[in-house]
Amino acid sequence: MPELVYPPVVIASKALFRILDLRLSVTGAEHVPRTGGAVLASNHVSYLDFIFCGYGAQPAKRLVRFMAKKSIFDHRIAGPLMRGMSHIPVDRAAGAESYDQALAALRSGEVVGVFPEATISRSFTVKGLKNGAARLAAAAGVPLIPVSLWGTQRLWTKGRPRTLNRRHVPVSIDLGEPLHPTENDSAEDVTAVLRERMTALLDAAQRSYPDQPADSSDSWWQPAYLGGSAPTPEEAAELDARRPEGG
């Protein structure tokens, strides 16, 4: 079936990147296979992360089918776009159906994108991960590729106003060496290794990031462990418990 929606969306996204003069850096794109299935497992710091994670697969000329919460598909504007790009709705009350749909996509040779933290990390560190990405990769016999995104939170993240007109923001998209889980492996063990690799990628991106907060009022986007005013992981967990809005 011809791709009628996804390519124009990719073109529009790249045009927006140019208009905003975003300083995009992609490393590790060679880890995305040019044919066959794969799971991209990314950290989650922004409502725009699927755009940038998908951009990381562009050098391999792959279109990524993202697993995203069902409410996005119910939106009158976003919904038709999501369906037109063959993304996969996730209904937390009926998770088996979305898992089966993602597994079928992988077995048919698609690249599937997953945010295993499930929601945006307010601390800008890697939260605990769900094991669905590991289970999917093992069941489909495809590589599981850790991905780190950094800088996207400065455009639009949980608890902050959108700043989609912000220019010259550096954005790091880093893909790590794939894991190759099998159905004989423990999904929990694979997920623990995945989290270690995602954390290492993110830490490296944060420490090498070319921008620093302009002043104390601008330090909200920097993690606490690097001196920023973002919540610590413990504080973020408390915020999530009190205000569990999606993201």
Side-chain angles (χ1 to χ4, degrees), residues 22 43-49 52 120-125 148-164 166 169-172 202 205-206 209 211-213 218-223 226 228 230-231:
L22 298 180
N43 71 311
H44 200 9
V45 293
S46 167
Y47 291 110
L48 304 175
D49 284 340
F52 293 96
I120 287 173
S121 170
R122 298 177 192 262
S123 68
F124 306 139
T125 61
S148 161
L149 302 174
W150 187 242
T152 61
Q153 79 282 8
R154 299 177 67 189
L155 300 171
W156 189 13
T157 193
K158 185 180 288 187
R160 301 288 306 185
R162 281 175 290 184
T163 54
L164 300 181
R166 185 188 291 269
V169 173
V171 173
S172 301
L202 181 59
Q206 290 171 337
Y209 193 66
D211 277 7
Q212 292 296 319
D218 187 46
S219 66
W220 62 267
W221 57 265
Q222 188 85 300
L226 290 179

Side-chain angles (χ1 to χ4, degrees), residues 58-153:
Q58 282 291 294
K61 303 186 185 307
R62 304 302 303 274
L63 299 176
V64 183
R65 316 300 176 179
F66 284 96
M67 301 184 74
K69 59 184 181 180
K70 182 178 178 294
S71 60
I72 301 175
F73 292 78
D74 296 334
H75 190 275
R76 64 185 181 86
I77 297 174
L81 288 173
M82 296 293 282
R83 288 188 289 274
M85 291 184 280
S86 299
H87 295 315
I88 301 166
V90 177
D91 184 348
R92 291 173 184 170
E97 183 177 345
S98 58
Y99 177 91
D100 290 344
Q101 189 175 344
L103 184 58
L106 290 167
R107 286 174 170 165
S108 69
E110 298 281 6
V111 177
V112 171
V114 180
F115 296 102
E117 294 168 286
T119 58
I120 287 173
S121 170
R122 298 177 192 262
S123 68
F124 306 139
T125 61
V126 180
K127 304 197 304 185
L129 307 184
K130 308 291 186 183
N131 67 13
R135 289 167 48 223
L136 281 169
V142 301
L144 173 60
I145 303 170
V147 181
S148 161
L149 302 174
W150 187 242
T152 61
Q153 79 282 8

